Amino acid sequence: MCEKRSCPHEVDALCTCQALKERDKDIIGLLTHIRENMKDVEWELDYTDLSRPEKRRLCLVGKCRICGGRLCQELDASDELAGDDFLAAIYRHLYQIHNAGGRYMPSWEFRARFIHMFLEPDQHFIRGWLDRPENQHISRMYRRSVKPPAQEENAGVAVYTIVRTGADVDHGSFPTPTAEGSFFSPRGPKQNCKN
């Protein structure tokens, strides 16, 4: 569990855009730059065993569409979880991150990319896990893993979703609403971060 995971992309030239140079002063600007300019995105998961908690590395890696340098975003790898709970947590997390930018990817493609993140010996197990009835839709994965305290067992869990919508009536543009993310606190992701 104390093994440190290192990034295999450290030798690649990093993005040289202003947002990266000012990352210590403006984290929101950096995240916006990554979301708007990362192309050719690959999902990477570095782990040794799915069945036990361990230190893992879960990242989005791509190229900057402006300068061509490497852009990376490390995500919560749910190190304290294992088995079904771990798989559901990272599936939900990738789903939220991917859909926050209003990007569309068919579910079969999303699932194929999810399977491809895992080591080849585990991919058959992951396909079976995704084929289970409870894993056919993201909303079922939310209900399954979240367990309220015993005294509030029937009270349910509040989930707050930020929805972006808009219309340009003059030009006849009525885009569909997009989910920016879902959080357990109305204050957003700050409540979900570990420092």
Side-chain angles (χ1 to χ4, degrees), residues 133-145:
E134 65 268 25
N135 297 327
Q136 293 301 306
H137 195 274
I138 191 76
S139 65
R140 290 190 199 108
M141 289 184 197
Y142 276 103
R143 286 190 225 121
R144 186 177 76 218
S145 295

Side-chain angles (χ1 to χ4, degrees), residues 104-141:
Y104 172 75
M105 181 185 296
S107 63
W108 64 267
E109 184 180 346
F110 185 91
R111 287 173 171 248
R113 289 186 70 166
F114 183 78
I115 292 167
H116 184 69
M117 279 193 328
F118 293 88
L119 300 173
E120 197 168 322
D122 292 329
Q123 288 181 5
H124 179 72
F125 172 77
I126 300 301
R127 280 186 194 90
W129 182 82
L130 286 170
D131 287 340
R132 292 183 195 165
E134 65 268 25
N135 297 327
Q136 293 301 306
H137 195 274
I138 191 76
S139 65
R140 290 190 199 108
M141 289 184 197

Side-chain angles (χ1 to χ4, degrees), residues 38-78:
M38 189 187 300
K39 66 177 187 172
D40 304 328
V41 180
E42 295 292 328
W43 303 348
E44 295 183 357
L45 176 63
D46 190 15
Y47 69 99
T48 57
D49 189 349
L50 296 174
S51 62
R52 65 180 172 85
E54 65 179 2
K55 184 69 180 155
R56 303 178 183 106
R57 184 184 63 82
L58 176 62
C59 294
L60 302 178
V61 181
K63 292 182 180 180
C64 177
R65 75 176 75 248
I66 297 169
C67 72
R70 172 179 53 94
L71 283 174
C72 299
Q73 183 177 6
E74 187 170 359
L75 307 175
D76 176 16
S78 301

